[in-house]
Amino acid sequence: MTAPALPAAELAALADPAAYDLTDPQTFDDNDPHEMWRPFRAHNPVFWHAPRDGKPGFWVLTKYDDIMAAYRDNKRYTSERGNVLSTLLLGEDSAAGKMLAVTDGPRHREIRNLMMKSFSPRVLAPVVENVQKLTDRLISEAVEEGEVDFVTAVADRIPIHTIGDLMGIPAGDREQLVDWNAQTLSRYSADDGEEVSLMARNEIILYISGLMAERRRNPGEDVLSTLATATVDGEPLTEEEIIYNAYSLILGGDESSRATASGIVHAFSLYGDQWRRLKNAEVTLESATEEVMRWTTPTMHFGRHALTDIPIRDHVVKAGEIVTLWNSSANFDEDVFADPYPSTWAAPPTSTSASATARTSASAPTWAAST
């Protein structure tokens, strides 16, 4: 299926920055993202989102090539003043310089290298085996039941147990972490206020703190043990660095993996021909996995601050200004993906998705890839 064509004049009229408030989550509930972003890619690919309600303005990038260039540029951009709108608009992130996702330069590489020690084939082998066993069991139970809520019966359970294995989280504690994590993202109700989210985040941090102290006394081969006992140039990581990076793994890996699993099952239910192509081995699991990440795009955006003046197309981003990178637009860029809509998404991708590049770029979270 290709998105329906609109007259050029009508399409251009829809590319109005004033029509959408990208700082309001309701915008993405009220609008089809494909229909929202397509006019901007065609007629207004880089635009200034004006300040609203006391929040600063920011640049919006919608085209694949512009976004890829920004992800790969760690000289002219920084993530240490936030990497998503909620922190970018504040102008700071309390985890800056401590958590991998919002740390630049040598310290980023040092923390990343430490984390990668916990992802060796020997360590990951039992984790992968457990994921396969758990998935088989949950799917079998769902099929036997006949009708289930896929999110709660399957998608909620696989990521947290995977992360639990990676971090050595006791099995009995994992359901509570899922509950806290959902509260941090107001997933139970849009009416949940900031206080509910803050309390849940604090509960996760307190839990990690206690687990970290135990791992320092009795280390294992899990990620948390690696962080708790590692040294860089003879100095151990600070407690904040350990807690923030463990928190990032729980929050990011759990939610992004859940969203991907739920999104792809929904897509298969809508586009049965794509499911049949995969089931009949007309495409490989490897290429389908990449397309799944592109199609679902679990992380809609990331962002950075410019460190210097940066020309982008017909505009110049001034030093200090916010630049937001919209994966949910880039992953459907018609100039990169010949047909980005359902008729071909199970086919081998024509390019790496923005979601995949975000997971491996110099200053973006990498945990979803591990999960």
Side-chain angles (χ1 to χ4, degrees):
M1 181 188 79
T2 302
L6 290 174
E10 184 177 343
L11 199 64
L14 295 174
D16 178 10
Y20 302 102
D21 181 0
L22 299 181
T23 68
D24 182 0
Q26 192 64 41
T27 297
F28 306 98
D29 195 38
D30 292 343
N31 296 278
D32 180 328
H34 303 316
E35 296 304 315
M36 184 175 81
W37 288 120
R38 196 158 56 92
F40 287 104
R41 287 195 300 271
H43 296 282
N44 203 358
V46 178
F47 65 87
W48 177 253
H49 187 286
R52 300 191 188 198
D53 301 325
K55 302 170 185 173
F58 52 89
W59 291 98
V60 176
L61 274 56
T62 67
K63 293 287 287 180
Y64 180 95
D65 288 342
D66 296 334
I67 289 172
M68 291 299 101
Y71 272 132
R72 293 166 179 152
D73 189 344
N74 60 5
K75 303 297 184 185
R76 298 185 298 172
Y77 293 97
T78 180
S79 297
E80 293 201 349
R81 294 171 61 190
N83 70 342
V84 291
L85 277 173
S86 59
T87 52
L88 288 163
L89 298 177
L90 292 175
E92 62 179 1
D93 191 313
S94 60
K98 307 177 187 75
M99 187 168 71
L100 184 66
V102 285
T103 298
D104 297 330
R107 196 58 173 175
H108 177 95
R109 290 190 294 274
E110 291 165 354
I111 296 174
R112 182 187 174 102
N113 289 340
L114 287 176
M115 301 296 296
M116 293 309 294
K117 291 179 180 179
S118 299
F119 300 126
S120 68
R122 179 176 59 83
V123 174
L124 285 180
V127 176
V128 172
E129 182 180 359
N130 287 341
V131 170
Q132 292 172 336
K133 288 180 179 178
L134 176 63
T135 303
D136 287 345
R137 178 174 65 80
L138 292 175
I139 294 297
S140 296
E141 291 173 355
V143 171
E144 184 177 349
E145 187 72 20
E147 182 175 329
V148 298
D149 182 330
F150 181 82
V151 175
T152 58
V154 180
D156 268 357
R157 300 178 181 279
I158 296 172
I160 192 60
H161 285 290
T162 306
I163 295 164
D165 288 345
L166 285 170
M167 294 181 64
I169 296 172
D173 296 345
R174 296 177 185 182
E175 294 297 330
Q176 179 62 74
L177 283 171
V178 170
D179 183 55
W180 285 332
N181 204 11
Q183 291 180 50
T184 68
L185 300 165
S186 300
R187 197 164 64 88
Y188 290 144
S189 171
D191 296 328
D192 287 346
E194 179 61 26
E195 183 178 353
V196 172
S197 178
L198 180 61
M199 290 296 291
R201 286 198 295 269
N202 287 342
E203 292 287 0
I204 295 174
I205 289 172
L206 285 171
Y207 176 82
I208 295 171
S209 180
L211 203 57
M212 173 192 68
E214 192 276 328
R215 292 303 152 74
R216 279 181 162 166
R217 294 190 299 269
N218 300 294
E221 292 188 320
D222 54 90
V223 175
L224 190 53
S225 293
T226 297
L227 291 171
T229 59
T231 60
V232 176
D233 296 330
E235 295 294 326
L237 299 184
T238 67
E239 289 194 3
E240 283 186 316
E241 285 177 316
I242 297 168
I243 292 170
Y244 278 131
N245 283 290
Y247 173 80
S248 175
L249 176 56
I250 292 172
L251 184 66
D254 179 42
E255 185 62 22
S256 61
S257 300
R258 179 195 294 119
T260 302
S262 303
I264 199 56
V265 168
H266 182 245
F268 277 139
S269 72
L270 294 176
Y271 308 109
D273 58 322
Q274 298 304 306
W275 165 243
R276 287 188 290 274
R277 296 186 66 214
L278 181 60
K279 185 179 179 181
N280 295 335
E282 296 175 31
V283 294
T284 66
L285 283 174
E286 290 76 15
S287 64
T289 298
E290 177 60 37
E291 280 293 88
V292 162
M293 291 300 299
R294 181 190 69 81
W295 176 255
T296 57
T297 309
T299 303
M300 289 194 300
H301 81 281
F302 282 117
R304 295 175 172 180
H305 279 83
L307 293 172
T308 185
D309 291 0
I310 304 172
I312 305 178
R313 296 186 182 259
D314 297 330
H315 305 276
V316 176
V317 175
K318 297 296 185 182
E321 290 181 333
I322 299 168
V323 180
T324 56
L325 320 174
W326 290 87
N327 302 329
S328 51
S329 175
N331 282 347
F332 293 85
D333 189 337
E334 298 83 354
D335 290 337
V336 176
F337 304 98
D339 182 357
Y341 298 98
S343 64
T344 58
W345 65 255
T350 54
S351 189
T352 302
S353 72
S355 301
T357 300
R359 298 198 306 278
T360 55
S361 68
S363 299
T366 59
W367 311 128
S370 305
T371 305

